[in-house]
Amino acid sequence: MARQTAFNPDEKLHLAMQLFWQKGYGQTSMQEIVDTLEINRFSIYNTFGDKQQLFIKSLSHYLDTVFKNLIAPLKGTGNGKTRLDQYLQNLGEKLQSHSGRLGCLIQNTGLELTGSGSNIEREEIGQHLTGMYSALQSELERAFEDALNEGDLSAQRTPLQCADHVLAAIQGLILLRKTLNQPERIKDQMDFLRSTIKEW
């Protein structure tokens, strides 16, 4: 008979996600994982695999608990520009919060992957990141396509151009929030982006 786990794996995975989000993959030691999750190494390996497998599971958990909630307005069926504005408003509020100082786990990981000293398995984790960015880009483009069909977007701009511009802009804002730690400036820029899109 298999021995039952004496802890909640989902709760431990959430703690691991937060730790990687704060410190990054390379700067997080196995001992820090043990201390944060408050379970021994055997239990970690037995439940999640090695450090890299735990990190990949943490990325998936981030996708399910943070990323999907954030882009939920884009996945709706209402007016395209209304969905875009709600998404950007939600993102702006998230950037004002404490977690906004941590940046985006997806972006942080992408930057770490490009570092010269990175010891992350690039191919497998890179595929996860590409999938997440593609999902966001697709939802942005779909919202702009709806806006175009609703007569709410100038035909001078394609939905793909608009989606790529917004994706680049929000990545810049996320990075600035993390590096400058000046949420009021990020709020101004997010408001500016939202008002600009309304004029397209």
Side-chain angles (χ1 to χ4, degrees):
M1 181 175 177
R3 198 170 77 180
Q4 288 189 331
T5 304
F7 55 87
N8 185 322
D10 290 337
E11 291 178 357
K12 299 303 181 182
L13 185 59
H14 191 74
L15 290 173
M17 178 198 75
Q18 291 179 318
L19 179 62
F20 285 127
W21 196 355
Q22 292 169 4
K23 301 200 66 175
Y25 178 84
Q27 295 299 313
T28 301
S29 70
M30 197 63 206
Q31 186 58 52
E32 287 175 309
I33 294 172
V34 169
D35 293 342
T36 299
L37 274 56
E38 297 182 331
I39 54 179
N40 61 43
R41 292 182 186 230
F42 175 81
S43 295
I44 292 172
Y45 287 124
N46 192 47
T47 305
F48 304 109
D50 62 16
K51 176 183 170 183
Q52 182 166 288
Q53 291 171 315
L54 175 60
F55 182 67
I56 291 172
K57 288 180 172 67
S58 296
L59 279 177
S60 296
H61 184 66
Y62 181 87
L63 173 65
D64 291 336
T65 60
V66 179
F67 184 75
K68 284 185 177 178
N69 287 336
L70 195 59
I71 70 170
L74 292 174
K75 299 177 77 66
T77 57
N79 175 271
K81 279 196 174 179
T82 299
R83 292 181 355 242
L84 285 159
D85 190 64
Q86 184 62 61
Y87 161 70
L88 292 173
Q89 181 180 345
N90 290 356
L91 177 60
E93 291 172 357
K94 178 70 73 175
L95 291 177
Q96 304 307 305
S97 70
H98 172 72
S99 64
R101 297 178 56 194
L102 302 177
C104 167
L105 180 58
I106 303 169
Q107 185 187 79
N108 295 349
T109 304
L111 292 171
E112 188 172 356
L113 274 176
T114 62
S116 59
S118 172
N119 60 348
I120 304 178
E121 171 41 61
R122 296 171 185 270
E123 184 174 353
E124 185 173 4
I125 293 178
Q127 288 174 355
H128 280 73
L129 302 186
T130 298
M132 292 179 188
Y133 278 121
S134 294
L136 175 54
Q137 193 274 342
S138 295
E139 292 300 336
L140 288 169
E141 186 177 3
R142 187 172 71 89
F144 278 115
E145 285 175 349
D146 289 347
L148 182 63
N149 293 333
E150 292 156 357
D152 209 11
L153 179 69
S154 169
Q156 293 178 335
R157 301 178 178 89
T158 69
L160 178 59
Q161 287 173 325
C162 294
D164 284 346
H165 179 80
V166 171
L167 184 59
I170 60 179
Q171 290 304 306
L173 289 176
I174 292 169
L175 184 60
L176 284 174
R177 172 66 174 99
K178 180 179 179 180
T179 56
L180 297 181
N181 194 25
Q182 295 179 342
E184 67 284 350
R185 290 181 63 184
I186 302 305
K187 183 180 184 306
D188 280 346
Q189 287 303 308
M190 183 62 79
D191 290 345
F192 181 76
L193 177 61
R194 291 171 64 194
S195 64
T196 300
I197 291 173
K198 290 176 182 178
E199 296 173 0
W200 288 353

